Amino acid sequence: MIKYEKINEYSKDIEQYLRLKTSPVAVKFIQNEDEIPTYAVRPKRDTGKHLAQCQAFAMSRREGKTVAVLKEDQSCWAPLISYGLIDSSVIDTEKPEYDLQLKGTLQWIKGLADALPALEKGKYIGVLSAPLTTAKFEPDAVMIYSNNGQLRSMLMALKFMPEAEYSVESDIEPFDSCVYSLVPVLLNGKYRVTFPDPGEYERAVVDEDKVIFTMPVNRLDEFVEALKKLEQRGLGYTGLKKIMQPDFPRPDFYNEIFKAAGLEVSR
């Protein structure tokens, strides 16, 4: 496991290479309250209010706060089920007092809940999040909220690193971004891209151009090294320059391909 001091340094590198507007987020699934720092915000205890998980992540990346969200703090159903805090069987679709509209909605939600990737039931009591730059704990995963150009740079960086076992497999899901951005990563140990869902857009005030890039913390070393090498190649986030130029200068390997295909090479 990477010590948090090194993680803090890596966060500064990531922010520099990608020119991020907000800090990467350190995320830890906690098994007991002893893992919660004394300075962490406990929404129900400290404010008397509940938070959706995406709102806690927003507080960490935009406001620099360490936030602990336990079962009693949650105001969203999907993480309760997917994080293993409750069982999907609590969704009862057959109560006689339900009207047809509510019954239909609950049946749809029950189908979504049963299809969610899920952590072991009862293993965790909640989620701790903080800015990666200042986190004083060793996280399970790192979330980066980026624009499309920054995402391209991250994917390009990994593509140039064969030893990084480049693999970014993601379902294109419109719902439950607090689930799909984290749970599959913990289960399979791979990088992942997730679109913020409607709730995150409305309640956590995420910008329309943002996507979520997530990695298990044990890939942080290779990820930062990949960004560094991309920067050294002049292809980093600030290295690409827009230009509309016919017959633009082609790299040598372009010319070799064109030559082999019997096409005119660039001069």
Side-chain angles (χ1 to χ4, degrees):
M1 179 64 75
I2 311 173
K3 296 299 183 183
Y4 72 77
E5 294 90 350
K6 186 64 175 177
I7 289 171
N8 298 157
E9 294 176 17
Y10 279 152
S11 183
K12 294 173 185 176
D13 291 337
I14 293 170
E15 292 183 53
Q16 176 185 342
Y17 288 135
L18 296 175
R19 304 299 195 270
L20 297 175
K21 287 187 175 180
T22 60
S23 173
V25 181
V27 180
K28 180 178 178 64
F29 285 80
I30 54 177
Q31 297 183 343
N32 59 74
E33 294 200 27
D34 292 342
E35 300 176 67
I36 303 174
T38 56
Y39 54 83
V41 175
R42 301 281 297 272
K44 188 69 168 64
R45 182 196 69 184
D46 297 342
T47 69
K49 299 183 184 300
H50 303 85
L51 288 179
Q53 189 63 59
C54 57
Q55 292 175 315
F57 294 152
M59 288 172 64
S60 291
R61 69 186 182 90
R62 288 203 298 256
E63 300 174 29
K65 294 181 178 179
T66 299
V67 187
V69 178
L70 278 58
K71 181 166 61 175
E72 61 267 24
D73 301 301
Q74 281 282 3
S75 64
C76 190
W77 67 270
L80 284 171
I81 292 173
S82 185
Y83 296 173
L85 306 181
I86 65 172
D87 193 272
S88 64
S89 62
V90 301
I91 304 176
D92 185 350
T93 63
E94 300 301 330
K95 285 188 177 180
E97 62 267 29
Y98 289 164
D99 60 34
L100 288 177
Q101 181 175 356
L102 180 55
K103 182 178 289 188
T105 299
L106 284 170
Q107 288 172 343
W108 177 62
I109 292 296
K110 182 66 163 59
L112 292 178
D114 289 341
L116 287 174
L119 301 176
E120 180 183 337
K121 174 72 168 59
K123 182 176 182 179
Y124 302 107
I125 64 168
V127 176
L128 183 65
S129 66
L132 192 67
T133 311
T134 57
K136 296 298 183 287
F137 57 86
E138 297 171 12
D140 296 311
V142 175
M143 306 171 71
I144 299 173
Y145 283 71
S146 75
N147 63 34
N148 293 331
Q150 292 159 337
L151 175 63
R152 178 185 59 228
S153 292
M154 291 186 278
L155 298 177
M156 283 175 59
L158 294 174
K159 198 73 170 178
F160 282 117
M161 292 278 287
E163 64 271 28
E165 298 180 15
Y166 173 82
S167 177
V168 180
E169 301 171 0
S170 301
D171 305 317
I172 306 301
E173 287 285 343
F175 299 121
D176 308 321
S177 52
C178 61
V179 170
Y180 285 100
S181 60
L182 283 169
V183 175
V185 172
L186 266 68
L187 294 176
N188 64 28
K190 295 183 177 181
Y191 297 100
R192 188 173 180 86
V193 176
T194 309
F195 290 99
D197 66 18
E200 187 157 9
Y201 175 72
E202 290 185 334
R203 299 164 192 149
V205 202
V206 68
D207 294 332
E208 285 186 335
D209 68 338
K210 290 294 182 285
V211 291
I212 308 168
F213 183 85
T214 317
M215 74 193 80
V217 74
N218 61 8
R219 288 189 177 269
L220 197 53
D221 287 302
E222 69 179 18
F223 176 73
V224 174
E225 182 64 19
L227 288 181
K228 179 180 178 180
K229 290 189 174 182
L230 190 71
E231 188 78 11
Q232 291 170 344
R233 288 172 176 263
L235 297 174
Y237 179 60
T238 60
L240 301 179
K241 301 295 186 289
K242 295 179 180 180
I243 182 171
M244 285 287 287
Q245 177 183 346
D247 283 329
F248 55 86
R250 301 173 193 162
D252 291 340
F253 78 90
Y254 272 51
N255 283 331
E256 290 303 313
I257 294 172
F258 274 63
K259 189 190 302 180
L263 298 171
E264 184 178 354
V265 301
S266 64
R267 295 184 289 275

